Tab-separated table of all heavy atoms in Angstrom:
chain	number	residue	atom	x	y	z
H	49	TRP	N	-112.680	296.662	-5.056
H	49	TRP	CA	-112.086	297.953	-5.109
H	49	TRP	C	-113.143	299.118	-4.907
H	49	TRP	O	-112.893	299.968	-4.118
H	49	TRP	CB	-111.363	298.241	-6.569
H	49	TRP	CG	-109.999	297.622	-6.511
H	49	TRP	CD1	-109.615	296.427	-6.798
H	49	TRP	CD2	-108.821	298.541	-6.213
H	49	TRP	NE1	-108.186	296.383	-6.629
H	49	TRP	CE2	-107.771	297.562	-6.309
H	49	TRP	CE3	-108.597	299.704	-5.835
H	49	TRP	CZ2	-106.404	297.953	-6.151
H	49	TRP	CZ3	-107.271	300.090	-5.617
H	49	TRP	CH2	-106.220	299.297	-5.749
H	50	LEU	N	-114.262	298.986	-5.554
H	50	LEU	CA	-115.331	300.038	-5.445
H	50	LEU	C	-115.967	300.083	-4.092
H	50	LEU	O	-116.330	301.079	-3.546
H	50	LEU	CB	-116.319	299.794	-6.513
H	50	LEU	CG	-115.837	300.087	-8.013
H	50	LEU	CD1	-116.934	299.786	-8.997
H	50	LEU	CD2	-115.366	301.507	-8.091
H	51	LEU	N	-116.307	298.867	-3.475
H	51	LEU	CA	-117.043	298.877	-2.310
H	51	LEU	C	-116.212	298.858	-1.036
H	51	LEU	O	-116.654	299.194	0.067
H	51	LEU	CB	-117.951	297.558	-2.270
H	51	LEU	CG	-118.939	297.469	-3.471
H	51	LEU	CD1	-119.769	296.236	-3.250
H	51	LEU	CD2	-119.855	298.672	-3.443
H	52	VAL	N	-114.906	298.530	-1.083
H	52	VAL	CA	-114.178	298.383	0.200
H	52	VAL	C	-112.887	299.256	0.079
H	52	VAL	O	-112.759	300.168	0.965
H	52	VAL	CB	-113.680	296.893	0.402
H	52	VAL	CG1	-112.879	296.858	1.681
H	52	VAL	CG2	-114.924	295.973	0.525
H	53	ILE	N	-112.132	299.171	-0.919
H	53	ILE	CA	-110.806	299.787	-0.865
H	53	ILE	C	-110.953	301.289	-1.128
H	53	ILE	O	-110.520	302.200	-0.403
H	53	ILE	CB	-109.879	299.129	-1.918
H	53	ILE	CG1	-109.527	297.771	-1.492
H	53	ILE	CG2	-108.548	299.897	-2.006
H	53	ILE	CD1	-108.772	296.922	-2.434
H	54	MET	N	-111.592	301.742	-2.278
H	54	MET	CA	-111.770	303.147	-2.627
H	54	MET	C	-112.512	303.987	-1.419
H	54	MET	O	-112.100	305.041	-1.077
H	54	MET	CB	-112.369	303.294	-3.941
H	54	MET	CG	-111.408	302.827	-5.034
H	54	MET	SD	-109.595	303.207	-4.924
H	54	MET	CE	-109.688	304.958	-4.791
H	55	PRO	N	-113.618	303.437	-0.932
H	55	PRO	CA	-114.314	304.231	0.072
H	55	PRO	C	-113.352	304.496	1.393
H	55	PRO	O	-113.264	305.608	1.903
H	55	PRO	CB	-115.463	303.419	0.638
H	55	PRO	CG	-115.778	302.554	-0.630
H	55	PRO	CD	-114.444	302.294	-1.256
H	56	ALA	N	-112.454	303.480	1.708
H	56	ALA	CA	-111.616	303.716	2.828
H	56	ALA	C	-110.449	304.696	2.448
H	56	ALA	O	-110.192	305.577	3.294
H	56	ALA	CB	-110.993	302.361	3.185
H	57	VAL	N	-110.076	304.662	1.225
H	57	VAL	CA	-108.959	305.570	0.826
H	57	VAL	C	-109.533	307.022	0.736
H	57	VAL	O	-108.973	307.922	1.184
H	57	VAL	CB	-108.357	305.082	-0.489
H	57	VAL	CG1	-107.346	306.214	-1.125
H	57	VAL	CG2	-107.567	303.962	-0.309
H	58	ILE	N	-110.663	307.138	0.180
H	58	ILE	CA	-111.405	308.515	0.111
H	58	ILE	C	-111.665	309.002	1.407
H	58	ILE	O	-111.398	310.317	1.621
H	58	ILE	CB	-112.619	308.372	-0.798
H	58	ILE	CG1	-112.329	308.133	-2.263
H	58	ILE	CG2	-113.492	309.611	-0.678
H	58	ILE	CD1	-113.488	307.706	-3.103
H	59	SER	N	-112.081	308.235	2.287
H	59	SER	CA	-112.314	308.685	3.766
H	59	SER	C	-111.088	309.151	4.403
H	59	SER	O	-111.013	310.159	4.998
H	59	SER	CB	-112.944	307.516	4.483
H	59	SER	OG	-113.106	307.965	5.787
H	60	ALA	N	-109.994	308.445	4.192
H	60	ALA	CA	-108.704	308.839	4.738
H	60	ALA	C	-108.213	310.142	4.100
H	60	ALA	O	-107.659	310.919	4.805
H	60	ALA	CB	-107.597	307.751	4.522
H	61	GLN	N	-108.441	310.260	2.843
H	61	GLN	CA	-108.040	311.633	2.223
H	61	GLN	C	-108.784	312.723	2.750
H	61	GLN	O	-108.293	313.760	3.050
H	61	GLN	CB	-108.140	311.479	0.693
H	61	GLN	CG	-107.136	310.616	-0.061
H	61	GLN	CD	-107.385	310.474	-1.526
H	61	GLN	OE1	-108.581	310.642	-2.011
H	61	GLN	NE2	-106.332	310.396	-2.292
H	62	ASN	N	-110.065	312.517	2.924
H	62	ASN	CA	-110.960	313.586	3.465
H	62	ASN	C	-110.675	314.020	4.851
H	62	ASN	O	-110.911	315.048	5.268
H	62	ASN	CB	-112.451	313.254	3.219
H	62	ASN	CG	-112.774	313.225	1.719
H	62	ASN	OD1	-112.030	313.751	0.919
H	62	ASN	ND2	-113.883	312.493	1.453
H	63	SER	N	-110.117	312.996	5.672
H	63	SER	CA	-109.835	313.317	7.096
H	63	SER	C	-108.392	313.550	7.354
H	63	SER	O	-107.986	313.537	8.483
H	63	SER	CB	-110.320	312.196	7.929
H	63	SER	OG	-109.665	310.982	7.594
H	64	ASP	N	-107.664	313.714	6.289
H	64	ASP	CA	-106.177	313.903	6.461
H	64	ASP	C	-105.464	312.809	7.205
H	64	ASP	O	-104.481	312.930	7.808
H	64	ASP	CB	-105.859	315.174	7.061
H	64	ASP	CG	-106.212	316.395	6.202
H	64	ASP	OD1	-106.123	316.278	4.951
H	64	ASP	OD2	-106.728	317.395	6.818
H	65	ALA	N	-105.975	311.580	7.089
H	65	ALA	CA	-105.387	310.389	7.721
H	65	ALA	C	-104.358	309.867	6.669
H	65	ALA	O	-104.349	310.198	5.556
H	65	ALA	CB	-106.457	309.350	8.035
H	66	ASN	N	-103.629	308.822	7.086
H	66	ASN	CA	-102.682	308.210	6.386
H	66	ASN	C	-103.209	307.394	5.260
H	66	ASN	O	-103.975	306.324	5.547
H	66	ASN	CB	-101.724	307.332	7.238
H	66	ASN	CG	-100.549	306.754	6.521
H	66	ASN	OD1	-100.490	306.712	5.245
H	66	ASN	ND2	-99.559	306.420	7.275
H	67	VAL	N	-103.187	307.749	4.100
H	67	VAL	CA	-103.727	307.012	2.871
H	67	VAL	C	-103.165	305.656	2.795
H	67	VAL	O	-103.898	304.683	2.452
H	67	VAL	CB	-103.655	307.838	1.623
H	67	VAL	CG1	-104.137	307.017	0.438
H	67	VAL	CG2	-104.361	309.061	1.816
H	68	SER	N	-101.850	305.475	2.985
H	68	SER	CA	-101.275	304.118	2.760
H	68	SER	C	-101.769	303.148	3.828
H	68	SER	O	-102.003	302.001	3.561
H	68	SER	CB	-99.725	304.184	2.848
H	68	SER	OG	-99.258	304.583	4.170
H	69	THR	N	-102.014	303.590	5.056
H	69	THR	CA	-102.698	302.723	6.056
H	69	THR	C	-104.152	302.402	5.598
H	69	THR	O	-104.585	301.276	5.760
H	69	THR	CB	-102.718	303.432	7.480
H	69	THR	OG1	-101.370	303.716	7.837
H	69	THR	CG2	-103.383	302.597	8.464
H	70	ALA	N	-104.854	303.365	5.021
H	70	ALA	CA	-106.129	303.028	4.551
H	70	ALA	C	-106.181	301.978	3.507
H	70	ALA	O	-106.995	301.087	3.453
H	70	ALA	CB	-106.808	304.214	4.084
H	71	TYR	N	-105.162	302.021	2.571
H	71	TYR	CA	-105.031	301.073	1.548
H	71	TYR	C	-104.756	299.691	2.151
H	71	TYR	O	-105.399	298.736	1.736
H	71	TYR	CB	-103.978	301.379	0.524
H	71	TYR	CG	-104.339	302.107	-0.626
H	71	TYR	CD1	-103.804	303.436	-0.844
H	71	TYR	CD2	-105.160	301.617	-1.597
H	71	TYR	CE1	-104.157	304.232	-1.923
H	71	TYR	CE2	-105.508	302.405	-2.781
H	71	TYR	CZ	-104.988	303.520	-2.898
H	71	TYR	OH	-105.371	304.341	-3.985
H	72	LEU	N	-103.903	299.671	3.193
H	72	LEU	CA	-103.572	298.395	3.706
H	72	LEU	C	-104.807	297.870	4.534
H	72	LEU	O	-105.041	296.626	4.399
H	72	LEU	CB	-102.380	298.664	4.778
H	72	LEU	CG	-101.857	297.529	5.392
H	72	LEU	CD1	-101.181	296.522	4.445
H	72	LEU	CD2	-100.831	297.836	6.524
H	73	LEU	N	-105.509	298.608	5.303
H	73	LEU	CA	-106.539	298.112	6.027
H	73	LEU	C	-107.679	297.550	5.002
H	73	LEU	O	-108.360	296.562	5.229
H	73	LEU	CB	-107.150	299.108	6.966
H	73	LEU	CG	-106.375	299.249	8.305
H	73	LEU	CD1	-106.909	300.471	9.016
H	73	LEU	CD2	-106.433	298.045	9.120
H	74	ALA	N	-107.944	298.432	4.017
H	74	ALA	CA	-108.977	298.123	3.099
H	74	ALA	C	-108.606	296.876	2.283
H	74	ALA	O	-109.514	295.976	2.062
H	74	ALA	CB	-109.269	299.246	2.100
H	75	ALA	N	-107.348	296.682	1.982
H	75	ALA	CA	-107.003	295.525	1.252
H	75	ALA	C	-107.155	294.266	2.051
H	75	ALA	O	-107.526	293.262	1.582
H	75	ALA	CB	-105.534	295.632	0.758
H	76	SER	N	-106.877	294.372	3.373
H	76	SER	CA	-107.011	293.248	4.306
H	76	SER	C	-108.417	292.909	4.383
H	76	SER	O	-108.874	291.785	4.463
H	76	SER	CB	-106.353	293.482	5.605
H	76	SER	OG	-106.953	294.523	6.404
H	77	GLN	N	-109.365	293.968	4.452
H	77	GLN	CA	-110.763	293.715	4.583
H	77	GLN	C	-111.416	293.130	3.341
H	77	GLN	O	-112.298	292.309	3.317
H	77	GLN	CB	-111.520	294.954	4.872
H	77	GLN	CG	-111.257	295.562	6.283
H	77	GLN	CD	-111.688	296.954	6.466
H	77	GLN	OE1	-112.340	297.560	5.470
H	77	GLN	NE2	-111.508	297.480	7.575
H	78	SER	N	-110.753	293.431	2.158
H	78	SER	CA	-111.324	292.907	0.890
H	78	SER	C	-110.995	291.386	0.739
H	78	SER	O	-111.532	290.736	-0.015
H	78	SER	CB	-110.766	293.797	-0.346
H	78	SER	OG	-109.415	293.421	-0.474
H	79	LEU	N	-110.050	290.879	1.541
H	79	LEU	CA	-109.730	289.503	1.543
H	79	LEU	C	-111.075	288.714	1.832
H	79	LEU	O	-111.230	287.591	1.398
H	79	LEU	CB	-108.712	289.042	2.553
H	79	LEU	CG	-107.353	289.657	2.259
H	79	LEU	CD1	-106.397	289.251	3.420
H	79	LEU	CD2	-106.828	289.198	0.950
H	80	ALA	N	-111.960	289.329	2.499
H	80	ALA	CA	-113.229	288.603	2.858
H	80	ALA	C	-114.112	288.521	1.665
H	80	ALA	O	-115.055	287.635	1.551
H	80	ALA	CB	-113.988	289.380	3.992
H	81	LEU	N	-113.776	289.301	0.617
H	81	LEU	CA	-114.585	289.181	-0.613
H	81	LEU	C	-114.129	288.077	-1.593
H	81	LEU	O	-114.557	287.943	-2.583
H	81	LEU	CB	-114.576	290.553	-1.279
H	81	LEU	CG	-115.254	291.674	-0.591
H	81	LEU	CD1	-115.183	293.029	-1.309
H	81	LEU	CD2	-116.755	291.307	-0.369
H	82	GLY	N	-113.112	287.401	-1.083
H	82	GLY	CA	-112.698	286.286	-2.005
H	82	GLY	C	-113.664	285.299	-2.363
H	82	GLY	O	-113.684	284.828	-3.411
H	83	PRO	N	-114.630	284.954	-1.379
H	83	PRO	CA	-115.706	284.099	-1.830
H	83	PRO	C	-116.587	284.615	-2.946
H	83	PRO	O	-117.129	283.831	-3.683
H	83	PRO	CB	-116.565	283.917	-0.491
H	83	PRO	CG	-115.462	284.171	0.594
H	83	PRO	CD	-114.605	285.197	0.010
H	84	LEU	N	-116.652	285.932	-3.031
H	84	LEU	CA	-117.265	286.548	-4.188
H	84	LEU	C	-116.674	286.057	-5.482
H	84	LEU	O	-117.415	285.846	-6.495
H	84	LEU	CB	-117.380	288.058	-4.055
H	84	LEU	CG	-118.136	288.866	-5.143
H	84	LEU	CD1	-119.580	288.418	-5.123
H	84	LEU	CD2	-117.990	290.358	-4.880
H	85	LEU	N	-115.351	285.974	-5.491
H	85	LEU	CA	-114.703	285.496	-6.692
H	85	LEU	C	-115.100	284.074	-6.928
H	85	LEU	O	-115.328	283.718	-8.126
H	85	LEU	CB	-113.155	285.551	-6.351
H	85	LEU	CG	-112.227	285.141	-7.440
H	85	LEU	CD1	-112.413	286.123	-8.682
H	85	LEU	CD2	-110.897	285.218	-7.022
H	86	GLY	N	-115.244	283.280	-5.885
H	86	GLY	CA	-115.636	281.878	-6.101
H	86	GLY	C	-117.042	281.853	-6.654
H	86	GLY	O	-117.296	280.919	-7.485
H	87	LEU	N	-117.853	282.710	-6.204
H	87	LEU	CA	-119.208	282.641	-6.760
H	87	LEU	C	-119.295	283.041	-8.283
H	87	LEU	O	-119.869	282.310	-9.057
H	87	LEU	CB	-120.162	283.633	-5.960
H	87	LEU	CG	-121.543	283.841	-6.507
H	87	LEU	CD1	-122.367	282.560	-6.351
H	87	LEU	CD2	-122.240	284.937	-5.795
H	88	SER	N	-118.496	283.991	-8.600
H	88	SER	CA	-118.431	284.443	-10.002
H	88	SER	C	-117.817	283.365	-10.900
H	88	SER	O	-118.399	283.050	-11.906
H	88	SER	CB	-117.592	285.688	-10.109
H	88	SER	OG	-117.456	286.124	-11.431
H	89	GLN	N	-116.729	282.678	-10.416
H	89	GLN	CA	-116.124	281.722	-11.145
H	89	GLN	C	-117.035	280.434	-11.243
H	89	GLN	O	-117.035	279.725	-12.282
H	89	GLN	CB	-114.816	281.269	-10.578
H	89	GLN	CG	-113.674	282.331	-10.701
H	89	GLN	CD	-112.507	282.094	-9.918
H	89	GLN	OE1	-112.428	281.433	-8.986
H	89	GLN	NE2	-111.386	282.570	-10.445
H	90	SER	N	-117.767	280.159	-10.190
H	90	SER	CA	-118.632	278.999	-10.279
H	90	SER	C	-119.634	279.046	-11.412
H	90	SER	O	-120.141	278.001	-11.889
H	90	SER	CB	-119.248	278.776	-8.894
H	90	SER	OG	-120.364	279.686	-8.718
H	91	LEU	N	-120.027	280.319	-11.710
H	91	LEU	CA	-121.037	280.425	-12.798
H	91	LEU	C	-120.454	280.012	-14.197
H	91	LEU	O	-121.200	279.403	-15.031
H	91	LEU	CB	-121.493	281.870	-12.867
H	91	LEU	CG	-122.249	282.384	-11.656
H	91	LEU	CD1	-122.563	283.911	-11.864
H	91	LEU	CD2	-123.426	281.503	-11.315
H	92	VAL	N	-119.127	280.084	-14.226
H	92	VAL	CA	-118.407	279.548	-15.443
H	92	VAL	C	-118.234	278.048	-15.308
H	92	VAL	O	-118.548	277.387	-16.336
H	92	VAL	CB	-117.132	280.326	-15.590
H	92	VAL	CG1	-116.289	279.762	-16.881
H	92	VAL	CG2	-117.282	281.836	-15.836
H	93	LEU	N	-117.961	277.644	-14.196
H	93	LEU	CA	-117.624	276.262	-13.932
H	93	LEU	C	-118.821	275.368	-14.092
H	93	LEU	O	-118.737	274.253	-14.417
H	93	LEU	CB	-116.955	275.987	-12.558
H	93	LEU	CG	-115.649	276.522	-12.352
H	93	LEU	CD1	-115.111	276.368	-10.924
H	93	LEU	CD2	-114.602	275.767	-13.329
H	94	ARG	N	-119.968	275.907	-13.786
H	94	ARG	CA	-121.174	275.055	-13.750
H	94	ARG	C	-121.601	274.441	-15.144
H	94	ARG	O	-122.327	273.512	-15.303
H	94	ARG	CB	-122.381	275.700	-13.139
H	94	ARG	CG	-123.085	276.801	-13.983
H	94	ARG	CD	-124.017	277.541	-13.184
H	94	ARG	NE	-125.240	277.666	-13.869
H	94	ARG	CZ	-126.316	278.294	-13.404
H	94	ARG	NH1	-126.328	278.858	-12.339
H	94	ARG	NH2	-127.358	278.411	-14.268
H	95	LYS	N	-120.988	275.073	-16.209
H	95	LYS	CA	-121.202	274.567	-17.537
H	95	LYS	C	-120.358	273.303	-17.847
H	95	LYS	O	-120.594	272.525	-18.804
H	95	LYS	CB	-120.816	275.628	-18.558
H	95	LYS	CG	-121.686	276.866	-18.505
H	95	LYS	CD	-121.277	277.977	-19.373
H	95	LYS	CE	-122.058	279.252	-19.098
H	95	LYS	NZ	-121.467	280.362	-19.846
H	96	VAL	N	-119.260	273.025	-16.999
H	96	VAL	CA	-118.367	271.987	-17.285
H	96	VAL	C	-118.283	270.904	-16.143
H	96	VAL	O	-117.664	269.834	-16.412
H	96	VAL	CB	-116.961	272.468	-17.644
H	96	VAL	CG1	-117.038	273.362	-18.935
H	96	VAL	CG2	-116.346	273.256	-16.586
Side-chain angles (χ1 to χ4, degrees):
W49 274 86
L50 291 175
L51 299 178
V52 179
I53 297 172
M54 292 319 303
V57 171
I58 291 169
S59 176
Q61 284 177 331
N62 292 339
S63 65
D64 293 326
N66 187 340
V67 174
S68 62
T69 300
Y71 268 114
L72 184 65
L73 282 172
S76 67
Q77 292 168 1
S78 73
L79 294 177
L81 292 178
L84 183 59
L85 183 66
L87 175 64
S88 178
Q89 291 173 334
S90 74
L91 298 176
V92 177
L93 291 173
R94 73 188 229 186
K95 298 173 184 169
V96 296

